[in-house]
């Protein structure tokens, strides 16, 4: 039913009446209108030429129109019309879309509504479905501004948050296109708190939208803007604020909000798959990871998100091999200081023995005294040189030696790697020949119990000590989780 006030409003483009302003910022207005031809409410986006605009503003508006014309998804408001206008006090461009009767997620937050975990998961699945559609367009379409105010709930209930719509495509970008024209400066796109680091350089990939989604979900789950949450470097810390959420969901959100884009899901579909299997990733009774039949690339990406903060351990993937590399301990560690002290003790000891020999030699008389001096000096020199040489080897070890753990589908290789030398393997065995890989709760040593070992030494029991390698308890636990995952993962049949 059309109200009397609407009928009395001047009609723009001979068909649209303006009912109210929904939002406004410099150069742009979002208006609630009525389409007299279709007899329905519409949303009209208005780019005002009377406001100071940049050439990029008009370019973005035309890009938004171009993209919306080709989109056809039930959760994206339908494109209806666009035109240039200069009447009834309106001068600029207008874009008309279907009106969604609902409220933005930003309004939900302002009402201090607490969303339970099932609601967060449901919202995540719906939004990921929209992003999957956008990212699979050719060329790929990237929204670049996912945030609570860009998402509208059509309705709410006591059990589910309702249907979600993605709106506000003002920063949309198609892959392969650029923002700048000629010598125009690059502008920072996105909204602070929700944009990932790469958007500071105006770069965007599908993983950019996934980060923004993760930050949006964190805001919904915590009730706190991402900028208000504690941070370590560029990583958002929200574990304590999400104490009421499951460990698996928190891990999944950490995956989405990784500062480095290559550590996030490769696609919206990968994020959907990860969310569906998140409850299987952790086995709470054993505190081990279990990724089932997920791809190795997903394993690496997820395992990196579970790495302890500030760890120097690295994970590499190549030719069906997952490699964990423990870097050298370096010179700022206690083992290096002790090894260097041992080396210098050996050098100084040798020098003192040599000086003592030179001092006492002329004072000796007789053959036997000289022979005894030679034997004693040689013995002490040998011990001092050996002591210093061992310290020198330990010094080089702390500076250059890496520990490499290579996990093939059915083989494990563990060895010490030093530049310019072949790897010194301590373990080379099939998965079926491993009796157990054990890390006692609260312990700092991983013990390998083997039935067969194809190395030169062939030891059937090997220990990987955290203290000797300069690892923290959380790092040795993380390595153990990776090993347990590999041990449980069934090798693909050939």
């Amino acid at each position: 039913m059309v109200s009397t006030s609407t009928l009395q409003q001047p009609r723009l483009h001979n068909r649209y009446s303006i009912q109210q302003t929904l939002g406004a910022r410099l150069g742009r207005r979002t208006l609630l209108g009525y389409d007299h031809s279709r007899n329905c409410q519409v949303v009209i986006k208005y780019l005002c030429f009377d406001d100071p605009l940049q050439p990029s503003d008009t370019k973005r508006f035309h890009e938004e129109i171009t993209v919306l014309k080709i989109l056809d998804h039930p959760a994206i408001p339908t494109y209806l019309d666009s035109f240039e206008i200069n009447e009834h006090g309106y001068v600029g461009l207008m874009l008309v879309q279907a009106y969604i009767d609902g409220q933005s997620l930003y309004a939900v937050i302002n009402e201090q509504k607490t969303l339970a975990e099932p609601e967060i998961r449901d919202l995540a699945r719906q939004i990921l479905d929209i992003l999957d559609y956008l990212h699979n367009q050719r060329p790929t379409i990237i929204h670049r501004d996912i945030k609570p105010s860009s998402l509208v709930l059509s309705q709410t209930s006591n059990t589910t948050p309702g249907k979600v719509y993605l709106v506000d495509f003002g920063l949309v970008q198609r892959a392969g296109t650029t923002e700048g024209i000629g010598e125009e400066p690059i502008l920072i796109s996105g909204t602070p708190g929700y944009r990932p680091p790469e958007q500071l350089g105006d770069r965007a990939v599908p993983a950019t939208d996934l980060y923004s989604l993760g930050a949006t979900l964190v805001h919904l789950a915590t009730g706190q803007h991402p900028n208000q949450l504690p941070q370590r470097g560029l990583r958002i810390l929200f574990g304590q604020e999400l104490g009421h959420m499951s460990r698996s969901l928190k891990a999944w959100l950490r995956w989405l909000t990784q500062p480095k884009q290559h550590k996030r899901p490769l696609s919206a579909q990968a994020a959907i798959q990860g969310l569906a299997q998140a409850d299987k990733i952790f086995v709470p009774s054993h505190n081990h990871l279990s990724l089932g039949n997920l791809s190795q690339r997903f394993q690496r990406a997820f395992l990196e998100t579970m790495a302890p903060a500030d760890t120097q351990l690295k994970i590499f993937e190549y030719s069906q091999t997952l490699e964990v590399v423990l870097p050298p301990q370096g010179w700022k560690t206690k083992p290096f200081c002790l090894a260097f002290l041992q080396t210098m003790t050996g050098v100084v000891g040798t020098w003192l023995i040599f000086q003592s020999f030179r001092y006492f030699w002329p004072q000796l008389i007789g053959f036997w005294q000289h022979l005894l001096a030679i034997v004693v000096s040689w013995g002490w020199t040998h011990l001092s040189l050996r002591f210093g040489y061992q310290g020198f080897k330990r010094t080089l070890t702390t500076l250059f030696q890496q520990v490499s753990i290579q996990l093939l589908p059915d083989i494990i290789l563990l060895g010490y790697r030093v530049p310019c030398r072949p790897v010194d393997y301590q373990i080379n065995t099939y998965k079926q020949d491993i009796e157990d890989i054990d890390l006692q709760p609260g312990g700092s040593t991983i013990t390998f119990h083997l039935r067969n070992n194809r190395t030169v030494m062939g030891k059937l029991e090997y220990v990987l000590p955290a203290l000797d390698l300069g690892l923290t308890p959380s790092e040795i636990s993380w390595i153990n989780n990776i090993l347990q995952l590999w041990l449980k993962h069934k090798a693909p049949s050939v």
Side-chain angles (χ1 to χ4, degrees):
M1 187 81 178
V2 185
S3 66
T4 304
S5 60
T6 299
L7 290 173
Q8 294 175 348
Q9 290 288 336
R11 295 188 182 184
L12 307 179
H13 206 55
N14 202 32
R15 65 185 293 182
Y16 302 108
S17 298
I18 305 301
Q19 295 180 329
Q20 68 180 87
T21 299
L22 299 176
R25 64 177 186 267
L26 185 64
R28 293 179 70 113
R29 315 280 191 276
T30 302
L31 310 170
L32 177 62
Y34 189 85
D35 184 350
H36 294 272
S37 296
R38 295 186 176 90
N39 294 320
C40 64
Q41 287 184 312
V42 293
V43 169
I44 301 175
K45 294 185 177 180
Y46 168 48
L47 184 69
C48 180
F49 288 170
D50 288 337
D51 288 350
L53 297 175
Q54 299 293 328
S56 58
D57 294 325
T58 305
K59 180 176 182 290
R60 284 199 198 108
F61 199 82
H62 282 295
E63 179 72 4
E64 182 178 4
I65 293 172
T66 301
V67 168
L68 288 173
K69 281 182 177 180
I70 63 175
L71 296 181
D72 182 17
H73 190 280
I76 298 175
T78 306
Y79 165 86
L80 299 176
D81 195 7
S82 59
F83 50 90
E84 188 169 343
I85 190 170
N86 186 3
E87 57 179 333
H88 302 295
Y90 294 93
V91 181
L93 296 173
M94 285 192 168
L95 162 64
V96 184
Q97 286 181 273
Y99 171 69
I100 305 301
D101 186 13
Q103 63 176 167
S104 72
L105 292 181
Y106 186 74
V108 173
I109 295 172
N110 282 344
E111 292 175 1
Q112 297 183 342
K113 291 183 179 179
T114 302
L115 297 184
E117 181 166 334
E119 295 174 312
I120 293 292
R121 287 173 178 262
D122 185 70
L123 286 173
R125 281 189 288 266
Q126 292 190 58
I127 301 168
L128 284 170
D129 178 72
I130 305 171
L131 293 180
D132 185 50
Y133 169 77
L134 293 177
H135 296 166
N136 280 293
Q137 299 297 306
R138 293 293 177 266
T140 297
I141 295 175
I142 305 166
H143 188 276
R144 297 203 305 167
D145 200 20
I146 304 293
K147 56 186 177 182
S149 59
S150 299
L151 298 158
V152 174
L153 284 174
S154 61
Q155 60 182 354
T156 57
S157 67
N158 295 329
T159 55
T160 61
K163 185 175 180 179
V164 182
Y165 290 82
L166 179 59
V167 301
D168 192 4
F169 281 72
L171 292 179
V172 70
Q173 181 177 323
R174 289 173 291 175
T177 63
T178 57
E179 278 291 300
I181 303 175
E183 299 299 321
E184 287 185 10
I186 293 178
L187 302 177
I188 297 175
S189 61
T191 302
Y194 306 101
R195 66 185 174 214
E198 67 266 16
Q199 270 191 276
L200 296 176
D202 204 39
R203 297 187 304 274
V205 294
T208 301
D209 284 344
L210 298 180
Y211 179 98
S212 300
L213 170 60
T216 296
L217 294 173
V218 168
H219 193 173
L220 288 166
T222 63
Q224 298 183 52
H225 192 283
N227 280 347
Q228 296 176 334
L229 293 169
Q231 290 189 335
R232 180 181 289 115
L234 297 176
R235 181 182 295 185
I236 306 172
L237 303 180
F238 47 80
Q240 292 184 349
E241 287 74 10
L242 287 181
H244 58 294
M245 299 289 179
S246 68
R247 183 178 180 184
S248 56
L249 180 64
K250 288 187 285 188
W252 183 79
L253 288 172
R254 277 195 292 268
W255 186 30
L256 262 63
T257 54
Q258 282 292 313
K260 296 182 179 179
Q261 64 187 52
H262 70 275
K263 290 188 175 184
R264 298 177 216 141
L266 297 176
S267 64
Q269 194 56 236
I272 292 171
Q273 183 184 17
L275 181 61
Q277 302 200 31
D279 292 330
K280 299 178 182 178
I281 290 171
F282 287 99
V283 182
S285 60
H286 298 94
N287 197 29
H288 290 328
L289 293 169
S290 176
L291 296 184
N293 294 321
L294 298 180
S295 66
Q296 273 194 323
R297 192 168 184 83
F298 175 81
Q299 291 181 21
R300 174 196 171 191
F302 185 84
L303 286 169
E304 285 180 335
T305 70
M306 302 310 301
D310 302 325
T311 183
Q312 298 299 312
L313 275 64
K314 302 293 183 183
I315 294 183
F316 301 96
E317 180 188 6
Y318 48 89
S319 302
Q320 293 187 327
T321 301
L322 201 67
E323 182 180 21
V324 183
V325 176
L326 286 61
Q329 297 179 58
W331 63 275
K332 294 182 179 181
T333 60
K334 182 178 179 180
F336 172 82
C337 294
L338 293 175
F340 184 75
L341 179 62
Q342 181 179 345
T343 304
M344 296 308 299
T345 300
V347 171
V348 172
T350 302
W351 181 81
L352 289 175
I353 293 169
F354 177 73
Q355 293 298 325
S356 299
F357 182 80
R358 289 182 56 191
Y359 176 78
F360 287 108
W361 181 262
Q363 303 180 32
L364 300 177
I365 57 175
F367 171 76
W368 294 109
Q369 288 187 357
H370 284 88
L371 179 61
L372 180 61
I374 292 174
V375 171
V376 171
S377 298
W378 170 248
W380 280 106
T381 301
H382 174 74
L383 290 176
S384 183
L385 287 173
R386 184 176 179 181
F387 185 77
Y389 176 70
Q390 290 175 345
F392 182 67
K393 285 180 62 177
R394 289 177 58 195
T395 302
L396 294 179
T397 296
T398 56
L399 288 176
F400 301 109
Q401 180 178 272
Q402 296 178 329
V403 178
S404 169
I405 304 174
Q406 299 178 52
L407 303 174
L408 286 72
D410 59 346
I411 295 175
I412 180 173
L413 301 170
L414 188 153
Y416 297 100
R417 180 186 296 159
V418 178
C420 304
R421 291 187 59 185
V423 179
D424 179 18
Y425 286 110
Q426 304 296 311
I427 295 177
N428 179 355
T429 190
Y430 287 101
K431 183 183 294 186
Q432 63 189 27
D433 288 328
I434 298 176
E435 289 184 355
D436 190 23
I437 299 177
D438 178 52
L439 173 64
Q440 295 296 325
S444 61
T445 300
I446 297 177
T447 304
F448 296 80
H449 303 277
L450 313 174
R451 298 187 188 93
N452 184 31
N453 192 1
R454 299 180 296 172
T455 62
V456 175
M457 299 300 294
K459 291 183 179 180
L460 298 182
E461 186 171 294
Y462 177 78
V463 295
L464 194 68
L467 294 178
D468 291 354
L469 299 173
L471 300 176
T472 64
S474 58
E475 285 177 323
I476 200 72
S477 178
W478 184 49
I479 294 172
N480 181 63
N481 283 337
I482 296 174
L483 292 171
Q484 297 298 334
L485 179 147
W486 170 82
L487 197 60
K488 295 176 182 178
H489 192 275
K490 184 178 181 181
S493 58
V494 181

